[in-house]
Amino acid sequence: MIAALVEACAAAGFDLHATAAVADYNVRVPDDLRLPDLGRPRALVVVVGNTRALWPRFVAALAADATLAAAADPLDRYTEHALTAIAARTVPARHEVRFAHEAPPRRFAIQRLAEVAGLAAVSPSHLSVHPVYGPWIALRAALVVDVDGPLPRPPPRLPCACAVGCQAAFDAALAAGPPRDGAELRTRWRAWLAVRDACPVGRGHRYDDIQCSYHYTGDRATLADVPIPR
C-alpha cells in the first residue's frame, strides 16, 4: 500500500514522504492541532511534501485545466485534488487526508509532524530543513490510515549551524516585516527568500526564480511568466 501511494504521489510531483504513528505526534501538540486517529491511537500517518519536482507537474496541470487555472489558489487546489484522488486509488483501508493549508478546526502542525516522522528538522528561522534538500521543500498534507503506524524514531538533527548560516538573514527579515504585507509585497518577500538562500544545505535543489516569487507572494500574475512544459 505504501509503495503504491509513494509511487503515485511522486508521479504527481509530491516526492517527499515519511511515516509516523498518530499518537507520537498528538502527544506533542495542543488539542486543537491533533490529528484524528480513526479509533486506533497508533494509526499510521504519512506526511507528504515535495521538492522543486512539483513545479513542472503543477504548471502542466494549469495548462491542461481551465478550472484549475481560474482557482483562487491553484496550487492548493491542485494539491487537494491530486492527493485526495491518489489516496482513494491506492489506500484500501479507511483513511483521512488533512492539508497543511486548511483552516481550523482541521489545521495541524505539519512541521512538527515532519519532525516526528524524521523527514525534516525545524531550524531557528522556522524553516523545515531536509538533510539533502535543505529548506527547498514544502510540506503539503498528512494522510491518516487505519492501520498500525511505526515505532517512535529519534527526531532528525539539523544538518547545519544556523547561527552562522541563516540567523543573520532571519534577523533582517524580521526587521523588514511580514512578507505579504500591503504595498511592500513586491520587495519585502525577498528578505524572507534570503533566509532560505542563506542555508548552506541543499543549494543545488533551489527553486527557480519564478517558483520562488509565486510561493512567497501568491501573485497570480507570476504564473503568466511560467514556461509550459512540452
Side-chain angles (χ1 to χ4, degrees), residues 29 47 51 67 77 95-96 99-100 116 131 147 166 172 183 192 198 200:
V29 297
V47 58
T51 67
T67 300
R77 176 70 65 87
H95 62 271
E96 181 174 333
F99 297 99
V116 171
V147 298
C166 65
W192 291 93

mmCIF file of all heavy atoms in Angstrom, residues 29 47 51 67 77 95-96 99-100 116 131 147 166 172 183 192 198 200:
data_model
loop_
_atom_site.group_PDB
_atom_site.id
_atom_site.type_symbol
_atom_site.label_atom_id
_atom_site.label_comp_id
_atom_site.label_asym_id
_atom_site.label_seq_id
_atom_site.Cartn_x
_atom_site.Cartn_y
_atom_site.Cartn_z
ATOM 1 N N VAL A 29 1.489 18.072 20.639
ATOM 2 C CA VAL A 29 0.775 19.274 20.197
ATOM 3 C C VAL A 29 -0.444 19.514 21.072
ATOM 4 O O VAL A 29 -0.959 18.576 21.697
ATOM 5 C CB VAL A 29 0.334 19.152 18.714
ATOM 6 C CG1 VAL A 29 1.550 19.047 17.799
ATOM 7 C CG2 VAL A 29 -0.614 17.983 18.514
ATOM 8 N N VAL A 47 3.238 11.721 6.137
ATOM 9 C CA VAL A 47 3.389 13.146 5.816
ATOM 10 C C VAL A 47 3.909 13.247 4.385
ATOM 11 O O VAL A 47 4.819 12.519 3.989
ATOM 12 C CB VAL A 47 4.307 13.861 6.821
ATOM 13 C CG1 VAL A 47 5.685 13.235 6.890
ATOM 14 C CG2 VAL A 47 4.436 15.347 6.477
ATOM 15 N N THR A 51 9.765 18.537 -3.286
ATOM 16 C CA THR A 51 10.894 19.379 -3.661
ATOM 17 C C THR A 51 10.441 20.219 -4.856
ATOM 18 O O THR A 51 9.239 20.315 -5.147
ATOM 19 C CB THR A 51 12.098 18.514 -4.048
ATOM 20 O OG1 THR A 51 11.775 17.800 -5.263
ATOM 21 C CG2 THR A 51 12.425 17.510 -2.946
ATOM 22 N N THR A 67 -10.326 25.247 -15.217
ATOM 23 C CA THR A 67 -10.921 25.435 -13.894
ATOM 24 C C THR A 67 -9.834 25.591 -12.839
ATOM 25 O O THR A 67 -9.931 26.445 -11.949
ATOM 26 C CB THR A 67 -11.832 24.250 -13.538
ATOM 27 O OG1 THR A 67 -12.871 24.148 -14.519
ATOM 28 C CG2 THR A 67 -12.463 24.429 -12.169
ATOM 29 N N ARG A 77 -5.416 24.018 -4.730
ATOM 30 C CA ARG A 77 -6.448 23.201 -5.383
ATOM 31 C C ARG A 77 -5.834 21.965 -6.039
ATOM 32 O O ARG A 77 -6.368 20.858 -5.934
ATOM 33 C CB ARG A 77 -7.181 24.052 -6.435
ATOM 34 C CG ARG A 77 -8.217 23.299 -7.269
ATOM 35 C CD ARG A 77 -9.438 22.918 -6.458
ATOM 36 N NE ARG A 77 -10.147 24.091 -6.029
ATOM 37 C CZ ARG A 77 -11.081 24.706 -6.751
ATOM 38 N NH1 ARG A 77 -11.404 24.256 -7.947
ATOM 39 N NH2 ARG A 77 -11.706 25.763 -6.273
ATOM 40 N N HIS A 95 -9.314 5.927 5.710
ATOM 41 C CA HIS A 95 -8.278 6.946 5.808
ATOM 42 C C HIS A 95 -8.898 8.335 5.792
ATOM 43 O O HIS A 95 -10.071 8.510 5.460
ATOM 44 C CB HIS A 95 -7.266 6.808 4.672
ATOM 45 C CG HIS A 95 -7.860 6.990 3.302
ATOM 46 N ND1 HIS A 95 -8.399 5.946 2.567
ATOM 47 C CD2 HIS A 95 -8.019 8.097 2.520
ATOM 48 C CE1 HIS A 95 -8.835 6.385 1.417
ATOM 49 N NE2 HIS A 95 -8.632 7.700 1.356
ATOM 50 N N GLU A 96 -8.083 9.310 6.155
ATOM 51 C CA GLU A 96 -8.484 10.714 6.092
ATOM 52 C C GLU A 96 -7.278 11.542 5.700
ATOM 53 O O GLU A 96 -6.173 11.323 6.213
ATOM 54 C CB GLU A 96 -9.028 11.194 7.437
ATOM 55 C CG GLU A 96 -9.486 12.645 7.418
ATOM 56 C CD GLU A 96 -10.161 13.094 8.693
ATOM 57 O OE1 GLU A 96 -10.741 12.251 9.410
ATOM 58 O OE2 GLU A 96 -10.104 14.315 8.991
ATOM 59 N N PHE A 99 -4.832 18.743 4.945
ATOM 60 C CA PHE A 99 -3.905 19.551 4.156
ATOM 61 C C PHE A 99 -3.312 20.673 5.000
ATOM 62 O O PHE A 99 -3.987 21.251 5.857
ATOM 63 C CB PHE A 99 -4.610 20.114 2.928
ATOM 64 C CG PHE A 99 -5.078 19.043 1.994
ATOM 65 C CD1 PHE A 99 -6.392 18.618 2.016
ATOM 66 C CD2 PHE A 99 -4.182 18.421 1.131
ATOM 67 C CE1 PHE A 99 -6.826 17.602 1.169
ATOM 68 C CE2 PHE A 99 -4.598 17.402 0.293
ATOM 69 C CZ PHE A 99 -5.919 16.990 0.308
ATOM 70 N N ALA A 100 -2.054 20.991 4.737
ATOM 71 C CA ALA A 100 -1.334 21.980 5.538
ATOM 72 C C ALA A 100 -1.974 23.351 5.464
ATOM 73 O O ALA A 100 -1.854 24.155 6.390
ATOM 74 C CB ALA A 100 0.123 22.059 5.086
ATOM 75 N N VAL A 116 8.486 14.567 13.787
ATOM 76 C CA VAL A 116 8.151 13.282 14.415
ATOM 77 C C VAL A 116 8.389 12.131 13.445
ATOM 78 O O VAL A 116 8.851 11.047 13.835
ATOM 79 C CB VAL A 116 6.688 13.296 14.914
ATOM 80 C CG1 VAL A 116 6.238 11.910 15.358
ATOM 81 C CG2 VAL A 116 6.519 14.288 16.056
ATOM 82 N N PRO A 131 17.699 16.861 5.244
ATOM 83 C CA PRO A 131 19.149 16.617 5.220
ATOM 84 C C PRO A 131 19.774 16.669 3.833
ATOM 85 O O PRO A 131 20.971 16.917 3.706
ATOM 86 C CB PRO A 131 19.286 15.210 5.833
ATOM 87 C CG PRO A 131 17.931 14.601 5.742
ATOM 88 C CD PRO A 131 16.957 15.726 5.832
ATOM 89 N N VAL A 147 -4.409 1.642 9.945
ATOM 90 C CA VAL A 147 -3.508 0.507 10.177
ATOM 91 C C VAL A 147 -2.459 0.995 11.172
ATOM 92 O O VAL A 147 -2.336 2.194 11.405
ATOM 93 C CB VAL A 147 -2.820 0.014 8.876
ATOM 94 C CG1 VAL A 147 -3.845 -0.493 7.869
ATOM 95 C CG2 VAL A 147 -1.970 1.111 8.262
ATOM 96 N N CYS A 166 21.718 30.938 8.535
ATOM 97 C CA CYS A 166 20.536 31.731 8.215
ATOM 98 C C CYS A 166 20.160 32.746 9.285
ATOM 99 O O CYS A 166 19.291 33.590 9.046
ATOM 100 C CB CYS A 166 19.347 30.798 7.975
ATOM 101 S SG CYS A 166 18.834 29.878 9.441
ATOM 102 N N ALA A 172 17.288 39.976 9.714
ATOM 103 C CA ALA A 172 16.995 41.049 8.765
ATOM 104 C C ALA A 172 15.568 40.946 8.240
ATOM 105 O O ALA A 172 14.880 41.965 8.058
ATOM 106 C CB ALA A 172 17.984 40.993 7.605
ATOM 107 N N ALA A 183 1.601 47.268 0.549
ATOM 108 C CA ALA A 183 2.247 47.891 -0.594
ATOM 109 C C ALA A 183 3.666 47.398 -0.833
ATOM 110 O O ALA A 183 4.180 47.499 -1.945
ATOM 111 C CB ALA A 183 2.261 49.410 -0.416
ATOM 112 N N TRP A 192 12.759 37.503 3.019
ATOM 113 C CA TRP A 192 12.459 36.165 3.533
ATOM 114 C C TRP A 192 13.051 35.082 2.643
ATOM 115 O O TRP A 192 13.516 34.041 3.144
ATOM 116 C CB TRP A 192 10.949 36.008 3.687
ATOM 117 C CG TRP A 192 10.431 36.868 4.794
ATOM 118 C CD1 TRP A 192 9.933 38.135 4.700
ATOM 119 C CD2 TRP A 192 10.457 36.553 6.185
ATOM 120 N NE1 TRP A 192 9.625 38.615 5.947
ATOM 121 C CE2 TRP A 192 9.927 37.675 6.876
ATOM 122 C CE3 TRP A 192 10.849 35.436 6.917
ATOM 123 C CZ2 TRP A 192 9.797 37.708 8.253
ATOM 124 C CZ3 TRP A 192 10.719 35.452 8.288
ATOM 125 C CH2 TRP A 192 10.192 36.578 8.944
ATOM 126 N N ALA A 198 20.322 31.626 2.443
ATOM 127 C CA ALA A 198 21.470 31.628 3.346
ATOM 128 C C ALA A 198 21.810 30.239 3.866
ATOM 129 O O ALA A 198 22.929 29.999 4.318
ATOM 130 C CB ALA A 198 21.206 32.571 4.528
ATOM 131 N N PRO A 200 23.165 26.667 3.991
ATOM 132 C CA PRO A 200 24.176 26.002 3.160
ATOM 133 C C PRO A 200 23.754 24.624 2.657
ATOM 134 O O PRO A 200 24.435 24.056 1.806
ATOM 135 C CB PRO A 200 25.372 25.880 4.109
ATOM 136 C CG PRO A 200 24.756 25.797 5.474
ATOM 137 C CD PRO A 200 23.543 26.680 5.419
#
